Amino acid sequence: MSSYVGIVLISHSPKIAEGLKDLIRQVMTDVPIETAGGTDDGEIGTSIEKITGAIAEADKGEGVLLFYDIGSAKMNAEMAIEMNETEQALLVEGPLVEGAYVAAVESGMGKTLQEVHDAVKKAF
């Protein structure tokens, strides 16, 4: 079985993160996708712990791209990447829905972390 670049979906809303994962799963079933939506108690917000855990779960050896929605999600994603102490996790500056969708398709084609990142950046 091939290993793919993983994707972490970070949103202030657990419903948005899970809904986006469902949307992507309609076309890409093998790419590792984890969500980090909402706070630890299920409220609106973000959680560094959830993001850190999602990075670890999504990374199957090929690295992880992180997509976020607004505000503190970016800051918490940056802190989670630092806490994971990996160079195999990249934060993507781009649209959450469309960017994550493009990344999943590119990852599913077996591209490297940098190639998937660059494809998303080129698309947007």
Side-chain angles (χ1 to χ4, degrees), residues 4-7 31 62 64-65 67 90 92 99-123:
Y4 300 103
V5 171
I7 296 171
V31 173
E62 299 300 321
V64 180
L65 290 177
F67 292 86
L90 299 175
V92 179
Y101 191 91
V102 168
V105 171
E106 295 289 322
S107 175
M109 294 181 349
K111 295 187 178 180
T112 67
L113 178 65
Q114 193 62 55
E115 287 171 335
V116 175
H117 179 269
D118 292 349
V120 173
K121 294 305 292 178
K122 184 178 179 183

Side-chain angles (χ1 to χ4, degrees), residues 28-55:
M28 298 307 301
T29 57
D30 295 333
V31 173
I33 301 171
E34 296 296 327
T35 63
T39 63
D40 293 331
D41 58 358
E43 298 296 321
I44 297 295
T46 58
S47 161
I48 294 172
E49 291 78 19
K50 278 188 169 187
I51 299 168
T52 302
I55 292 170

Side-chain angles (χ1 to χ4, degrees), residues 41-97:
D41 58 358
E43 298 296 321
I44 297 295
T46 58
S47 161
I48 294 172
E49 291 78 19
K50 278 188 169 187
I51 299 168
T52 302
I55 292 170
E57 287 293 316
D59 191 355
K60 306 298 183 195
E62 299 300 321
V64 180
L65 290 177
L66 286 76
F67 292 86
Y68 65 94
D69 57 9
I70 57 174
S72 63
K74 178 180 181 180
M75 179 183 66
N76 284 341
E78 290 170 339
M79 292 187 347
I81 290 170
E82 286 180 29
M83 291 170 67
N84 273 13
E85 297 179 353
T86 178
E87 292 180 20
Q88 288 293 95
L90 299 175
L91 187 62
V92 179
E93 300 287 338
L96 176 62
V97 176

